[in-house]
Amino acid sequence: MSIKVRYFASLKESIGRSEDNLAFSGPATVVDVWRRANPDKALPDNSLAAVNMDYVELNSTVKDGDEVAFFPPVTGG
């Protein structure tokens, strides 16, 4: 299955790219997508993820053709 991965804001800057295209041969979750795309970098605590523009939990399953987006932790006052 093919998954498009997008990174936003400071995640994009720290990773050094705005997107990836990954192939999986079996079931995968959002956190599996992160680990495959960034094997040497932990997902920052409190990061947000979306599948096809809907916010999801990190243990949500992805399907062929999905777009997974990662957003840095939200801060502010």
Side-chain angles (χ1 to χ4, degrees), residues 8-23:
F8 291 91
S10 62
L11 284 179
K12 178 173 74 171
E13 293 170 13
S14 68
I15 292 169
R17 59 190 186 279
S18 61
E19 63 183 54
D20 286 308
N21 290 297
L22 303 177

Side-chain angles (χ1 to χ4, degrees):
M1 88 177 137
S2 177
I3 304 293
K4 182 173 186 172
V5 186
R6 300 191 64 193
Y7 309 100
F8 291 91
S10 62
L11 284 179
K12 178 173 74 171
E13 293 170 13
S14 68
I15 292 169
R17 59 190 186 279
S18 61
E19 63 183 54
D20 286 308
N21 290 297
L22 303 177
F24 284 85
S25 59
T29 64
V30 171
V31 75
D32 293 332
V33 170
W34 175 269
R35 289 178 183 147
R36 172 79 64 85
N38 302 285
D40 299 328
K41 189 170 191 68
L43 182 63
D45 290 341
N46 300 318
S47 292
L48 300 174
V51 174
N52 301 326
M53 296 192 277
D54 290 322
Y55 286 109
V56 297
E57 298 294 323
L58 296 178
N59 63 353
S60 296
T61 303
V62 295
K63 301 181 305 287
D64 185 39
D66 280 350
E67 179 183 85
V68 178
F70 292 99
F71 303 88
V74 177
T75 61

